[in-house]
Amino acid sequence: MVSKPDRRTVLGATAGAALTGAFSAPATAASFAETPGRVTVHSPNGRLRVTVLTADGSLRYQVVRDGRDLVAPSGLGLDLAGRPSLTSGLVVESVKRRTVKESWRPVWGPDALVRNHARECVLRTVQSVSGIRLDLVIRVFDDGVGFRYHLPAQTGLDAYTVTAERTEFALPPTATSWSLEAGTDWRADERHYRRAPLSDVDTAQTPLTLATTDGQYVVVHEAALIDYPSMTLAADPTRPGTFTSELISLPDGTKARLSGEFSTPWRTLTIGDRPGDLAESHLIENLNEPCALADTSWISPGTYVGVWWELQRRHTTWTAGPHHGATTERVKQYIDFAREAGASSVLAEGWNTNAGGQWTGQDFLTPQPDFDLPEVLRYARANGIGFTAHNETRGFVDYYEQHLDTIFARYAELGIHSVKTGYATRFELGGVNRGHFDQEAVRHYQRVVDTAARYKIMVIAHEAIKPTGLARTYPNMMTGEGVAGMEQQNYMGKLGNPPEQATILPFTRFMGGPADYTPGVLNVTWDPAGLGTRVQTTSATQLALYSLFFSPLQMLADTPENYRSHPGFAYLKDIPASWDETRFLDCVIGDYTVAARRKGHTWYLGAITDEQDRTLRVPLRFLGPGRYRAEIYRDAADTSWHDNPLPIDVRTTTVRSSTVLTLRLVAGGGTAIRLRPARS
């Protein structure tokens, strides 16, 4: 690793300095405005403006779009232990400006080229009574806003403790919102999104998504979360629609222990005219630092299969015994299937000693007696397939940290280049069972990513911190959970995940980055253990999810036997996991979603609906010139989400960019379409 971003050096040093290089440009007078007590920054297209108001030693900000308030004047500042609150007594010493204008190519992503264009303003302030200097850094994009606090290196601030962050978001109280209740444990992000008037929301995880009554869409989140606690939101009971940042506390009740120069994560507002603008935005990634890895050639996006869904459905077990799933023979069957499916790797949960049960005494290196790791790796290599090792810590994090180098060094020797980590139930770090998202937990997740990068290992993280765009900087952090994914079809009772949830996720959870939702269960009624639960979609919906849910390591979650017996499997063979272009076409959050992704000259289109039957008309204007062969996988005429969810009708037709498709979706159903240029 080279040029590794450090919160106290790179992020702090660039906070107020003029950029140099190809992506720097001078700010124009039209982009900024200053009057006494007021500094305004406009977006490049002029539609969005942020104004910082300075009065009586306090800073407040306001966000206006097309002349309409999106964020009314809202407070700013930090509280440091034993020092006057940095919400008052501030004097603006200077204002520095710059323009960011660049394009960059991610190692993987929903788009092959990302445009990054913003106006930045840095207000440098000092608190008269304490002499503490605090900078406010603001970037205004066409599709939103990012702002953060920067504490420069200064005498008397060698070590300090943040006791509260006082950032406010005075949002339109009449807006409709989609959110999760704030929490600190491993399940906090694995619940169903609730729809409610914003004024009825008491607390929220971020991202928090809202639609205003005048048709604007906003997502409140954060970017570049490093060495700092996760931000949740708490409503002000006296001001409907107004929320204050609430940081996840350390065990002693404080928020963060810092030293020297430091920049907080960005507080972000992604803004659009339609839901698709949110899902297509790269604002969160653009607020992160460029890639920190000198060599990314070993990072390879792709689909993966593995011993997982059969465990969830209790057909086999994680634990050793007569029904153990991850045996040598069974994993070889998955390797054969991976080659057939065009998948890049095989996951084996329950491969290591003491997996399952109490999950104690694991060393993540010793296989179960019936799992021959050298033979499995040999067989995988012979078939061109990678192996993903499951590291379910079960929250015994101290052991994992102490042995990370040993574990990952051995994996590198064996040729294992991907791991799936887990932190279910507890989070014991530093001898303390703490919240999953406090500052020390965030530091741990980063240490895992850093260590993995040294050994050229890609990470799939479950029960970990929400994504905040850090994969731009550390692209070996491939994907994570933080979502009520496929496994919740087991654990949330007979109703599992209601169909509407999938129409909400692209505009909420996925705003921060990829999710390991584990789609692709085609035999949605498979219940070998008689659990009385099932996947709450039709089979066609499962195919459509590959266009809606992005993950550079995307699972084909069903079993080889279920895939081979289902006609929908043909759609998933060789399906890409990283894309050249993404379009969200027609979307109503909570009702239906239509999205298309392109790899090379081939497009994959997916459409899903909630619990209502719908007929959608989808123009194909995104196609290039000429004719395309459309392979359509849709619910059959007799398909019913409740009673007959498995049948799929497959047909082929020829279309052009002028074609308007009519998609008839049954409740809980969907349509998946592969569009390839037709041969003349």
Side-chain angles (χ1 to χ4, degrees), residues 18 42-43 90 95 97 131 149 177 253 305 314 318 375 398 438 471 491 503-504 532 541 563 579 587 624 654 678:
H42 289 85
S43 62
L90 301 174
V95 177
R97 307 159 183 154
Y149 305 104
S177 71
V305 302
R314 303 303 187 261
W318 284 273
E375 172 59 17
D398 281 319
D438 72 13
Y491 304 130
T503 74
I504 297 171
T541 299
Y563 277 126
W579 305 91
C587 311
T654 300

Side-chain angles (χ1 to χ4, degrees), residues 492-533:
M492 288 196 175
K494 291 185 178 181
L495 297 181
N497 293 334
E500 73 165 2
Q501 284 298 305
T503 74
I504 297 171
L505 290 175
F507 318 103
T508 50
R509 162 60 182 83
F510 281 88
M511 291 301 300
D516 192 38
Y517 185 91
T518 59
V521 173
L522 297 189
N523 190 345
V524 298
T525 60
W526 187 55
D527 188 13
L531 301 176
T533 59

Side-chain angles (χ1 to χ4, degrees), residues 335 338 343-347 377 380-381 383-388 415 417-418:
I335 291 170
S344 61
S345 64
V346 169
L347 166 72
L377 295 177
R381 281 193 299 271
N383 284 275
I385 304 299
F387 178 76
T388 299
H417 293 296
S418 59

